[in-house]
Amino acid sequence: MTSTSHPTNVPEPGDAVADGTPLLEVRDLHVEFHTRDGVAKAVNGVNYTVSAGETLAVLGESGSGKSVTAQAIMGILDMPPGKIPQGEILFRGQDMLTMSGEERRKIRGRKIAMIFQDALSSLNPVLSVGYQLGEMFRVHQGLSKKDAKLKAIELMERVRIPAAKERVGDYPHQFSGGMRQRIMIAMALALEPDLIIADEPTTALDVTVQAQIMDLLSELQTEFNMGLILITHDLGVVADVADKIAVMYAGRIVETAPVHEIYKRPAHPYTKGLLESIPRLDQKGQELYAIKGLPPNLTRIPSGCAFNPRCTAAKDICTTDVPVLHQVTERDGGDLAGRGSACHFWKETLHG
Ligand SMILES: Nc1ncnc2c1ncn2[C@@H]1O[C@H](COP(=O)(O)OP(=O)(O)O)[C@@H](O)[C@H]1O
Ligand SMILES: [Mg+2]
């Protein structure tokens, strides 16, 4: 059923505008949590953009602010204790942080969908997956129960759940972890969003299933020309699917690069450490390098570069001056498009 009484030429918030504006642009985003122990500065000036058809991988150890940034974009931050003292989150050029609640709701779920790590706790255990998938269509598109069920089956087939017709009435616990994560992907896809944020979507799965889910996400993203933000602590899983990478540490982006370049030549000691921590098949038995120490307490972030206490290359300046995101170039000054490093010694790291 389509309504003809509503004028169709009035743009809704988040409607497509064909002027080359990125799908999503996060500008100088800050998020802090006011707790009994003090103010935890979880996000400290994050900038990133995602265009249609593009995959941005956001990488970093646990506690670096990846999920909090995603929650701010999605509009699901716990506020309080969370607070956004500064920044903009532009969706198709419109700042979602200054939108009305109603405008925001039109974007959340429909234009931007999110996939979480733990499908079992995101799905309702007492409702069949078909019912939960169908609900998207009944609530948002006013479909009948029967049509919604057909749509649910179609979606299950889309994410390649075998025997979808027979399994549409099954409950979440009757599916394997990998299949449940496919159901989460189906839920996210239901309303054909422009952007999907997948927060550690494969972390709970074993390695072969991880690769299948990544491939599926990547394939669907291409098919629907969606933007995709892939959050992970595991550099190993995003190499084949991401276009570009933003590495986060203590709430800041410390390195940005097209995906393949970062593997070949990292320009930040932290990224270098993360790369050396990936298990390699050709180095079986060899002890895994791990970055020494732990990420900082976010109520007491070290002065200068937040990574300096763990950095083997740190000099005096690293304890006093916060490094900006330097544009990274070749030794002769040649262009390295899209590359940035927030290290005072990026040249030594990259070329040294
Ligand atoms: N609801 C909350 N209340 C207080 N502090 C929080 C809350 N959520 C996140 N934080 C703080 O933000 C930090 C970053 O969290 P998060 O973005 O989840 O890290 P990750 O990079 O692992 O996704 C946490 O270590 C914690 O200090
Ligand atoms: Mg997280």
Side-chain angles (χ1 to χ4, degrees):
M1 191 185 76
T2 47
S3 161
T4 47
S5 59
H6 187 76
T8 51
N9 57 346
V10 179
E12 295 271 341
D15 270 358
V17 277
D19 60 359
T21 310
L23 202 52
L24 181 82
E25 189 171 359
V26 177
R27 284 192 191 157
D28 194 28
L29 183 70
H30 292 250
V31 181
E32 51 193 38
F33 292 96
H34 292 250
T35 68
R36 257 174 296 164
D37 302 331
V39 179
K41 300 203 164 186
V43 178
N44 300 298
V46 161
N47 294 281
Y48 58 60
T49 62
V50 186
S51 300
E54 188 177 48
T55 299
L56 164 72
V58 180
L59 191 85
E61 287 166 293
S62 179
S64 51
K66 306 180 300 293
S67 296
V68 168
T69 306
Q71 288 158 12
I73 295 168
M74 198 62 189
I76 54 171
L77 259 186
D78 285 333
M79 298 206 282
K83 201 176 154 187
I84 301 180
Q86 201 175 319
E88 290 171 300
I89 301 174
L90 308 175
F91 185 70
R92 296 195 185 283
Q94 290 175 281
D95 187 4
M96 294 197 286
L97 295 178
T98 56
M99 279 180 187
S100 70
E102 194 197 342
E103 284 177 309
R104 193 79 199 255
R105 274 190 295 279
K106 283 185 178 156
I107 293 179
R108 189 190 313 151
R110 291 191 218 179
K111 310 271 183 188
I112 308 180
M114 198 154 168
I115 300 167
F116 298 94
Q117 172 181 338
D118 186 1
L120 204 51
S121 65
S122 307
L123 291 165
N124 188 328
V126 300
L127 298 172
S128 72
V129 300
Y131 184 89
Q132 293 180 67
L133 283 168
E135 194 169 30
M136 306 288 289
F137 299 106
R138 291 193 304 276
V139 171
H140 291 280
Q141 295 178 355
L143 292 194
S144 69
K145 245 180 144 167
K146 194 173 151 223
D147 287 343
K149 186 176 167 188
L150 289 175
K151 280 279 207 180
I153 294 169
E154 201 183 296
L155 270 179
M156 287 170 74
E157 284 169 348
R158 222 172 186 147
V159 297
R160 286 192 238 106
I161 293 175
K165 265 197 203 98
E166 289 75 51
R167 302 213 63 187
V168 68
D170 285 358
Y171 293 86
H173 72 269
Q174 294 175 287
F175 290 85
S176 68
M179 288 297 151
R180 272 198 298 269
Q181 205 52 306
R182 285 173 194 264
I183 293 162
M184 290 307 295
I185 293 171
M187 296 263 255
L189 282 177
L191 305 174
E192 299 187 14
D194 298 328
L195 176 70
I196 288 191
I197 305 175
D199 192 351
E200 309 267 5
T202 64
T203 300
L205 307 173
D206 63 51
V207 178
T208 46
V209 183
Q210 280 188 357
Q212 290 163 8
I213 296 289
M214 282 295 165
D215 288 348
L216 174 69
L217 261 178
S218 163
E219 192 186 305
L220 292 165
Q221 180 224 13
T222 308
E223 191 182 328
F224 289 93
N225 196 34
M226 295 180 295
L228 178 63
I229 300 177
L230 211 49
I231 297 171
T232 178
H233 67 278
D234 184 353
L235 247 173
V237 302
V238 293
D240 296 332
V241 292
D243 296 303
K244 60 184 188 183
I245 284 195
V247 180
M248 281 188 77
Y249 189 77
R252 284 177 198 272
I253 291 179
V254 296
E255 178 157 12
T256 57
V259 68
H260 294 296
E261 294 194 26
I262 213 162
Y263 288 88
K264 275 187 264 162
R265 290 198 299 169
H268 195 288
Y270 179 59
T271 314
K272 223 172 167 169
L274 288 178
L275 282 168
E276 285 163 8
S277 310
I278 302 177
R280 284 176 49 172
L281 293 173
D282 57 341
Q283 293 178 351
K284 263 207 182 105
Q286 197 165 315
E287 195 174 322
L288 216 62
Y289 172 90
I291 305 165
K292 64 169 182 170
L294 293 169
N297 177 333
L298 297 174
T299 61
R300 287 181 290 275
I301 296 176
S303 61
C305 171
F307 185 60
N308 87 72
R310 304 174 71 189
C311 184
T312 51
K315 309 262 191 323
D316 286 348
I317 188 180
C318 306
T319 63
T320 52
D321 294 17
V322 178
V324 298
L325 195 74
H326 299 277
Q327 195 181 332
V328 169
T329 56
E330 288 292 4
R331 211 184 278 275
D332 60 6
D335 195 28
L336 282 171
R339 294 212 58 172
S341 165
C343 175
H344 293 300
F345 300 99
W346 64 267
K347 281 182 195 152
E348 289 78 354
T349 311
L350 184 75
H351 304 302

